[in-house]
Amino acid sequence: MALQITLPQADGRLVPYTLRGPGAFTPAAPGAALNRIAYSAAHVVADARAAIDPWLQSAVDWDATIAYRRRLWSLGLGVAEAMDTAQRGMGLDWPTSLALIARSIDAAKDMPGALLASGCGTDHLAPDDARSVGDVIRAYETQMEAIEKLGGKLIVMASRALARVATGPADYERVYSRVLRQARQPVVLHWLGDMFDPALAGYWGSADTDAAMDTALGIIAAHASQVDGIKISLLDKDKEIRMRARLPAGVRMYTGDDFNYAELIAGDGQRHSDALLGIFDAIAPAASAALAALAAGDTARFHAILAPTVPLSRHIFQAPTRFYKTGVVFMAWLNGHQDHFVMVGGQQSTRSLPHFAELFRLADAAGLLEQPDLAAARMRTLLALHGIPG
């Protein structure tokens, strides 16, 4: 018998919806030889029982958080740790982030072939407290030292403090040259557009994207041996393709484009993007199966799997884009990977009930509600909380 649930629409009407059921995905095996590097930026599971003030303090359910990373590794995906998907700088502070990184590095040791890289930023330095570029350099060095001491690979995150104090491209060149010269192994650079974080407007010293790109490419060219790749999240595939074509040999483009990832990962026959994506957290089984198909040479299957996930991703990442983490955690709750829908910083409140209802429909259409009965029961709980009886 078909499973049905009544869901609100954007106009407030309640409409019956019949679930289609989960998709049949054949994921990549752990440590499988894929022809793309694929990091999933992973979310954290809040400790819903902690006696804290959620807007001011963070508490993490470590067991559930690390279990989710083990799930990603088991699907052949890498983990990009303590990034913006984990609410870094948006509820998750630096001491908690470092504890998270340490636990993930330790957990990866038990997972053969587990790929892990960790966010290194300046978020312990409040932007308003930064007085000079030197302050930013010292902040990066503090986090670099702490992560590298644990044996971690660095993702050098964009810095709000640098965006505040820099007076032009030369300041970015100074900071990144200093950081890259000191890194123990090649790093992944991180260009997060202001749609993800308004405090990063004008990054690389210019509000003009082409000029900013020139600065970033100049820094990479000057230190190519110390750069594994650059992850850009501008939600503009043409800009990514242009930058990808200009990268030095051996430097990867990691797409952070949660709108156009399938096309960018597949490539144009000459160049392709690898992946460092927040949406892979929410669509992990489909992402894994698609990457396995691509590695096997079945490009048609790759696109067939990912095509239904794109409307879901565009919905989760719709403006204000910075609230996408709420959709990612909502998916994890619907699918039984955590037992509550509570987020660090109380961020579960950033999206509306109609938004969640449409997310539910799109997730089902993509075959990503892994246990439909559980997902429907949890959706009914959310509806009841909003005054809509089951």
Side-chain angles (χ1 to χ4, degrees):
M1 184 175 179
L3 182 61
Q4 193 173 83
I5 184 172
T6 299
L7 297 172
Q9 298 197 135
D11 61 6
R13 290 188 301 122
L14 299 178
V15 178
Y17 177 78
T18 302
L19 280 78
R20 304 180 189 184
F25 301 120
T26 303
L34 302 174
N35 59 359
R36 302 290 187 272
I37 296 174
Y39 287 101
S40 170
H43 76 281
V44 293
V45 182
D47 181 355
R49 301 181 183 183
I52 61 170
D53 295 309
W55 283 18
L56 305 176
Q57 302 161 288
S58 60
V60 175
D61 181 335
W62 294 116
D63 290 342
T65 293
I66 297 303
Y68 200 82
R69 281 134 183 81
R70 291 184 179 278
R71 173 177 183 261
L72 294 171
W73 286 321
S74 76
L75 292 169
L77 300 175
V79 170
E81 190 56 276
M83 301 291 290
D84 48 300
T85 302
Q87 297 177 246
R88 181 72 175 272
M90 303 173 193
L92 197 74
D93 58 21
W94 164 238
T96 310
S97 297
L98 184 59
L100 174 62
I101 291 166
R103 288 170 183 264
S104 290
I105 289 173
D106 187 59
K109 295 174 183 176
D110 298 330
M111 301 289 292
L115 190 63
L116 176 66
S118 301
C120 168
T122 65
D123 47 312
H124 62 287
L125 172 65
D128 288 346
D129 292 338
R131 296 289 179 264
S132 68
V133 167
D135 289 343
V136 177
I137 290 172
R138 286 186 288 274
Y140 269 128
E141 289 174 339
T142 294
Q143 295 200 13
M144 287 177 67
E145 181 181 5
I147 296 168
E148 290 185 332
K149 185 176 181 180
L150 296 170
K153 175 184 170 111
L154 303 179
I155 302 171
V156 180
M157 300 177 69
S159 167
R160 291 173 178 168
L162 179 54
R164 180 182 180 277
V165 301
T167 59
D171 285 335
Y172 286 85
E173 292 164 358
R174 177 185 169 193
V175 170
Y176 279 90
S177 294
R178 179 73 170 268
V179 168
L180 290 171
R181 285 198 303 268
Q182 295 183 76
R184 294 182 183 177
Q185 59 179 312
V187 310
V188 177
L189 298 179
H190 178 244
W191 184 0
L192 196 65
D194 57 6
M195 69 288 292
F196 286 88
D197 186 347
L200 297 176
Y203 211 73
W204 305 111
S206 177
D208 178 82
T209 305
D210 290 334
M213 189 181 297
D214 288 342
T215 299
L217 285 164
I219 291 168
I220 292 169
H223 304 277
S225 65
Q226 286 299 98
V227 180
D228 169 27
I230 181 167
K231 173 255 175 81
I232 69 170
S233 297
L234 302 179
L235 303 184
D236 186 321
K237 66 179 181 180
D238 294 329
K239 291 176 181 176
E240 178 172 323
I241 290 169
R242 290 204 308 273
M243 188 174 189
R244 185 173 73 187
R246 297 174 61 191
L247 289 172
V251 176
R252 297 179 177 89
M253 171 59 73
Y254 287 98
T255 186
D257 189 332
D258 300 279
F259 285 3
N260 304 291
Y261 48 92
E263 175 184 349
L264 292 163
I265 292 169
D268 56 16
Q270 294 184 322
R271 295 180 176 87
H272 66 264
S273 297
D274 292 285
L276 200 166
L277 287 161
I279 193 56
F280 274 14
D281 183 297
I283 68 166
S288 175
L291 290 166
L294 187 64
D298 192 345
T299 305
R301 178 65 179 155
F302 168 84
H303 284 295
I305 293 170
L306 286 187
T309 72
V310 172
L312 170 65
S313 186
R314 292 187 174 203
H315 181 72
I316 288 174
F317 284 80
Q318 70 179 219
T321 303
R322 64 188 183 276
F323 296 149
Y324 78 87
K325 299 93 169 170
T326 303
V328 169
V329 174
F330 184 61
M331 282 287 294
W333 178 59
L334 289 179
N335 282 321
H337 300 298
Q338 54 192 80
D339 58 12
H340 59 77
F341 181 39
V342 172
M343 295 176 64
V344 170
Q347 290 282 303
Q348 69 274 7
S349 65
T350 62
R351 296 295 199 186
S352 68
L353 185 62
H355 178 90
F356 292 127
E358 182 62 11
L359 192 159
F360 184 95
R361 295 185 192 97
L362 292 170
D364 179 57
L368 287 167
L369 295 183
E370 300 165 22
Q371 303 176 68
D373 288 336
L374 176 64
R378 291 189 165 182
M379 189 70 213
R380 290 190 183 100
T381 297
L382 187 68
L383 292 168
L385 186 64
H386 286 76
I388 298 175

